[in-house]
Amino acid sequence: MAIKIEGGTVQETPHIPVLYREVIEAFAHCKEGIIVDCTMGYGGHSSLLLENNPALSLIGIDQDPTAIAFSTKRLEPFAERVEIRQGRFSEVAKEAMSQKGEKICGILADIGVSSLQLDQRERGFSYESDTLDMRMNPNASLSAAEVVNDYSQSALETILREYGEVNNARKVAETIVARRPFGSAKELSNAIFHLMPKGKKIHPSTLVMQAIRIEVNDELGELTRLLDAIESSGIRRLCVAIITFHSLEDRIVKNRFSKWAKNCICLDDAMRCTCGNNHAIGKVITKKPLSAAEDELRANSRSRSAKLRIFEIRRD
């Protein structure tokens, strides 16, 4: 389907990019240079940024070969301004920043699984899937099957508590170990469904699936390594916009942006400042994260959890 939106047209897209207006606005001042879309997916944000900024170029990154193939075709109208690279975004973005340096004016990352990956049951991301996979890169070694069927009960409990914030993580882990092996996400969901809290807007098994997916793809580690790469890049002028979908990701981004904006890095109990009070590398643009407007929520229910934080690097 083709989707008409303010500021551009998303052509033949399998999903609607979240916070599309806010992303366009975040990079509106980037009149020339390169934007690195760390999580290109199916090209929704990338196509809008290129359409709205005729002087910009873009490096699109994704580890999913299906997304690469789709976006390569989708971004053909902007071919002379687009370079698509496959790999883990923390590694490829670091390489791009080293190669392009000050030519890069923006970094965009939309953290998490894409809508099409969720909808493709053979990928094993959905609780209705007949497989147990969840790999964003189908060639990666670790899949959800290994996590669910091979991890110890204590390891599963830790993952469920830390990545899914599952309140009864011990009981869920105990049930998984007692009833495994599992061959599908649907089978796993049915086995733990009775243990999950009811009455929320999300499916009761969602948090468990989220925790396993984060472990499989090392999503929090990837996000942290991307922020490390941006921090150490030395690029003097850079807009960083990151979309997250749950509190763990958002907390990582919030804390890192706060660190980047802090001039004094002395210990809290220091009697006086001895660090020079000049360590800030820019400023936080969004004091509170941006969320979807009512019309977007009506059009795309998956945008309800999305939060966008923006930081402007200005190194003197």
Side-chain angles (χ1 to χ4, degrees):
M1 64 179 172
I3 301 171
K4 288 281 188 180
I5 63 174
E6 180 182 348
T9 306
V10 182
Q11 294 290 345
E12 299 301 325
T13 179
H15 78 295
I16 307 171
V18 299
L19 299 174
Y20 50 87
R21 290 171 296 209
E22 291 79 4
V23 167
I24 292 171
E25 179 63 26
F27 296 104
H29 65 285
C30 294
K31 300 302 181 184
E32 58 183 0
I34 301 170
I35 290 178
V36 179
D37 186 347
C38 296
T39 49
M40 178 181 61
Y42 294 85
H45 289 123
S46 292
S47 60
L48 287 171
L49 288 169
L50 289 165
E51 185 175 342
N52 281 271
N53 300 276
L56 281 179
S57 297
L58 182 134
I59 296 175
I61 304 170
D62 209 284
Q63 58 181 325
D64 187 335
T66 303
I68 292 285
F70 185 96
S71 290
T72 298
K73 181 174 179 59
R74 180 177 184 179
L75 298 176
E76 278 181 353
F78 313 102
E80 72 283 358
R81 295 194 280 141
V82 176
E83 180 184 348
I84 296 176
R85 303 186 184 186
Q86 185 172 2
R88 297 184 73 88
F89 63 74
S90 66
E91 299 171 0
V92 181
K94 182 177 181 179
E95 180 182 69
M97 286 185 282
S98 176
Q99 293 170 343
K100 304 297 184 179
E102 298 297 335
K103 292 181 180 179
I104 295 178
C105 65
I107 299 283
L108 170 65
D110 180 352
I111 307 300
V113 65
S114 74
S115 298
L116 193 59
Q117 287 170 330
L118 285 170
D119 293 337
Q120 291 177 320
R121 293 192 180 183
E122 67 272 15
R123 299 296 296 273
F125 286 100
S126 169
Y127 50 80
E128 297 180 344
S129 295
D130 293 323
T131 61
L132 193 54
D133 194 324
M134 300 190 186
R135 291 174 294 177
M136 293 182 181
N137 177 359
N139 297 317
S141 57
L142 183 65
S143 74
E146 281 74 42
V147 173
V148 171
N149 294 321
D150 297 340
Y151 275 30
S152 68
Q153 182 175 319
S154 61
L156 283 172
E157 181 183 340
T158 298
I159 290 167
L160 295 173
R161 181 179 295 110
E162 294 186 0
Y163 296 165
E165 298 180 309
V166 177
N167 292 330
N168 57 340
R170 177 174 297 180
K171 184 62 177 178
V172 175
E174 183 181 275
T175 301
I176 290 173
V177 170
R179 299 186 62 172
R180 66 190 187 187
F182 294 95
S184 72
K186 183 188 296 183
E187 185 183 353
L188 173 62
S189 177
N190 290 338
I192 61 172
F193 187 88
H194 67 287
L195 299 173
M196 298 292 97
K198 310 301 190 295
K200 295 185 177 182
K201 292 182 179 180
I202 61 174
H203 188 277
S205 300
T206 297
L207 296 180
V208 171
M209 298 300 174
Q210 170 188 289
I212 296 169
R213 191 200 78 220
I214 289 173
E215 171 69 11
V216 168
N217 298 287
D218 189 21
E219 293 176 31
L220 302 185
E222 271 291 277
L223 174 57
T224 298
R225 288 188 290 273
L226 172 65
L227 293 168
D228 289 343
I230 294 171
E231 184 175 336
S232 63
S233 70
I235 296 176
R236 294 181 299 110
R237 299 289 184 268
L238 187 66
C239 176
V240 182
I242 300 181
I243 299 171
T244 61
F245 287 86
H246 63 78
S247 59
L248 297 176
E249 298 166 341
D250 183 58
R251 192 178 306 134
I252 290 172
V253 177
K254 177 184 177 181
N255 290 342
R256 186 62 67 97
F257 283 6
S258 294
K259 175 193 171 186
W260 290 352
K262 196 172 183 180
N263 273 312
C264 178
I265 59 173
C266 293
L267 296 176
D268 292 338
D269 59 356
M271 297 295 292
R272 61 186 180 86
C273 176
T274 58
C275 70
N277 198 33
N278 62 349
H279 292 273
I281 62 172
K283 64 179 180 178
V284 176
I285 301 301
T286 49
K287 300 302 181 183
K288 293 184 178 180
L290 303 179
S291 56
E294 286 298 323
D295 61 335
E296 181 176 355
L297 290 171
R298 288 193 297 270
N300 181 13
S301 62
R302 286 175 177 166
S303 67
R304 65 176 178 266
S305 302
K307 295 181 178 180
L308 171 63
R309 292 186 185 271
I310 305 169
F311 190 92
E312 184 178 5
I313 290 179
R314 287 289 183 268
R315 305 182 206 246
D316 296 328

